[in-house]
Amino acid sequence: MTSESSESSESPGSSPSSTGGGLNRRRVLGGIGVGLGVGAAAAAGSLLTHDSDSSGHAAPAAADAAEASQIVDFRGTHQAGIATPAQDRLCFAAFDVTTTDRTQLEAMLGTWTFAAEAMTKGRTVPGDAGDLESPPNDTGEAEGLKPGNLTITIGYGASLFDSRFGLAARRPTLLKPLPQLPKEDLDPGSSDGDICVQACADDPQVAFHAIRNLRRLGTGVVTPRWMELGFGRTASTSPAQATPRNLMGFKDGTRNIDARDAAVMGQHVWIGTEEPQHWVRGGSYLVSRKIRMLLEQWDRDNLNDQQNVFGRTKATGAPLTGTKEFDTPNFSAKDASGETVIPMDSHVRLAAPENNQGLRILRRGYSYTDGIDPVTAQLVGGLFFLAYMKSPDQFVTLQRILGRHDALNEYIKHVSGGLFVTPPGLPADKDWGSQLFG
Ligand code: HEM
């Protein structure tokens, strides 16, 4: 089993072995649906604690080790999907709450919790077997697929803490709309949202399946606002992972935070005792940005200029002052003509902690594409930027500088964005509903 030693502890009775050892997708959530009202979460929870025999399916004799190693613990101190080594694929959705009934919302969050927990263990949400008159409860496309290191991470936007559900007094202090930042013109229709869900997995169908089933379980309570598919991670969250390349062909994530470093995560990523709202301590703020790359324009640029835009060498990822990827950039080095080797307007110089009072964020973004622009025939794609931090000000400070001075701006356009608070991980006796409403 993939375990996040620094952040997770499995709830009693919920490990694959204690639930009967069956690790292939099994049906354990019979009868879960929205509108179950109070007690739905508890009912769902009790279903989950049953082994596979209780759902009428035979329990395999022994856990399959290969599949077990693809399960990321769902419960723990922090939510999975933040410090978890970045998986290859993403499906991300933001929802608006359509009900005005607080009880319904709380019940749905309970239902989501237990469905999410099941799916991360490689299980499906069951249909009523043999009932030809009803739609199956699980949409079915993940049947037979491996768990794929699926993580499902929930977040809440500032709008959820308005007057609708009595949550104003529980609003995390720093959760408010981001200020207007330089040179940006974000599309409000595909930005923000009351609730966001980040599903990451090594299999795109597993990630999509997770969002699709939550969306289905949320019918009548939430409606999707926008959704994004990420097809390749653009960040390493641990040096144990090879650094991937973004769509501009550069290694991305070289100097990202090493999420295994608890001290650094505590300093820059996890919300701590500075936050008066106890319930979000151990969580993190999540900034999303859909950043389109002007790929045709970039592809016409010469290599020297491309490297100067980032301040790094394209082939190796080394800083322009070094030879190897992980060499520390020397921001004061000058060439024979007295110019800084790493240009003053290069992306890494402007974003580096050395030049920003030590400020750091945990980047966890993915490449995306929306196909071809029907009018211009240009490729539409870029970076779906996701970053976790202790305070949204970390992003605001960086983006104020990047938005004004970054040489990269010639080749990118921020299209939409969101700010969410992701609460801490769940203990064994809680679900997302009881955590949010207290
Ligand atoms: C399409 C947009 C972007 C692209 C293609 C991009 C790409 C890169 C690349 C290739 C690196 C160097 C390798 C590394 O250390 O990861 C880097 C570093 C970095 N980027 Fe970006 N980035 C983008 C947007 C942003 C934004 C919006 C922010 C934050 C507001 C940001 C923050 C950083 C930070 C903090 C670093 C590390 C700098 C260092 O410590 O050396 N990036 N980015």
Side-chain angles (χ1 to χ4, degrees):
M1 173 180 290
T2 301
S3 68
E4 296 165 272
S5 50
S6 64
E7 67 169 25
S8 299
S9 62
E10 183 102 24
S11 59
S14 62
S15 72
S17 53
S18 65
T19 53
L23 292 167
N24 50 332
R25 271 170 206 277
R26 295 182 283 115
R27 300 176 172 204
V28 293
L29 284 175
I32 289 187
V34 178
L36 295 180
V38 180
S46 71
L47 277 165
L48 258 186
T49 59
H50 293 172
D51 66 18
S52 53
D53 290 331
S54 68
S55 63
H57 292 254
D64 177 276
E67 286 194 18
S69 70
Q70 292 189 2
I71 296 176
V72 180
D73 292 346
F74 178 75
R75 292 177 186 268
T77 309
H78 306 294
Q79 281 198 82
I82 302 173
T84 309
Q87 301 92 324
D88 291 337
R89 309 299 180 120
L90 166 84
C91 188
F92 190 104
F95 298 87
D96 283 333
V97 181
T98 50
T99 183
T100 49
D101 182 342
R102 167 195 167 129
T103 314
Q104 267 196 336
L105 174 59
E106 189 171 353
M108 184 210 73
L109 288 169
T111 303
W112 271 17
T113 309
F114 295 106
E117 184 167 15
M119 289 189 283
T120 58
K121 290 180 194 304
R123 300 175 188 153
T124 55
V125 181
D128 301 320
D131 177 5
L132 296 176
E133 304 306 318
S134 308
N137 273 0
D138 190 285
T139 51
E141 72 273 30
E143 191 78 57
L145 299 180
K146 298 199 165 60
N149 289 311
L150 174 66
T151 54
I152 300 176
T153 314
I154 198 162
Y156 305 114
S159 53
L160 190 66
F161 298 86
D162 60 14
S163 57
R164 284 172 294 168
F165 309 107
L167 285 169
R170 287 178 70 75
R171 184 178 61 80
T173 322
L174 305 177
L175 186 64
K176 40 192 172 213
L178 291 178
Q180 173 74 37
L181 293 167
K183 294 185 199 130
E184 68 179 19
D185 180 20
L186 307 181
D187 170 26
S190 54
S191 296
D192 301 317
D194 289 335
I195 303 178
C196 77
V197 182
Q198 170 198 279
C200 297
D202 291 327
D203 182 330
Q205 192 139 318
V206 168
F208 178 79
H209 170 261
I211 294 291
R212 184 176 174 199
N213 276 279
L214 295 187
R215 183 253 178 277
R216 184 169 151 73
L217 292 168
T219 304
V221 181
V222 291
T223 188
R225 183 177 171 87
W226 53 270
M227 190 176 112
E228 205 55 58
L229 282 178
F231 64 82
R233 67 183 169 91
T234 59
S236 301
T237 51
S238 141
Q241 293 184 295
T243 312
R245 289 182 187 269
N246 59 34
L247 294 187
M248 289 173 155
F250 276 75
K251 290 195 176 191
D252 207 334
T254 305
R255 290 229 298 170
N256 202 8
I257 285 177
D258 178 355
R260 300 170 308 176
D261 188 332
V264 173
M265 291 292 284
Q267 196 184 345
H268 300 282
V269 178
W270 303 129
I271 298 169
T273 51
E274 73 284 349
E275 168 60 65
Q277 294 285 359
H278 287 246
W279 74 276
V280 289
R281 291 181 185 173
S284 190
Y285 287 96
L286 166 62
V287 174
S288 75
R289 278 288 159 117
K290 185 169 179 174
I291 308 176
R292 182 172 173 187
M293 295 173 177
L294 308 177
L295 292 167
E296 284 82 358
Q297 206 165 309
W298 177 255
D299 294 344
R300 286 195 297 269
D301 194 25
N302 66 59
L303 179 59
N304 188 45
D305 192 65
Q306 290 190 354
Q307 298 191 147
N308 281 334
V309 163
F310 284 109
R312 287 186 173 270
T313 307
K314 194 167 189 178
T316 63
L320 294 180
T321 51
T323 54
K324 294 195 287 298
E325 183 189 350
F326 293 101
D327 288 349
T328 304
N330 179 349
F331 293 113
S332 45
K334 299 204 169 149
D335 62 19
S337 61
E339 295 292 324
T340 50
V341 178
I342 299 178
M344 296 306 284
D345 61 353
S346 64
H347 184 70
V348 297
R349 173 186 287 276
L350 295 170
E354 290 91 330
N355 305 320
N356 292 291
Q357 284 91 43
L359 190 153
R360 303 186 73 189
I361 55 176
L362 178 70
R363 289 170 286 144
R364 214 177 185 287
Y366 287 81
S367 295
Y368 79 90
T369 177
D370 290 340
I372 302 287
D373 183 315
V375 176
T376 63
Q378 291 192 317
L379 286 166
V380 183
L383 170 67
F384 185 62
F385 172 94
L386 292 171
Y388 288 90
M389 60 208 76
K390 194 191 256 300
S391 158
D393 280 349
Q394 290 162 257
F395 173 80
V396 170
T397 303
L398 277 179
Q399 190 50 37
R400 278 209 170 111
I401 296 162
L402 293 175
R404 283 201 189 100
H405 305 294
D406 196 349
L408 187 56
N409 291 333
E410 193 179 337
Y411 304 97
I412 61 173
K413 184 175 174 348
H414 286 230
V415 177
S416 57
L419 170 68
F420 305 92
V421 68
T422 58
L426 289 168
D429 60 341
K430 283 236 178 218
D431 62 56
W432 284 328
S434 56
Q435 182 188 50
L436 173 67
F437 286 96

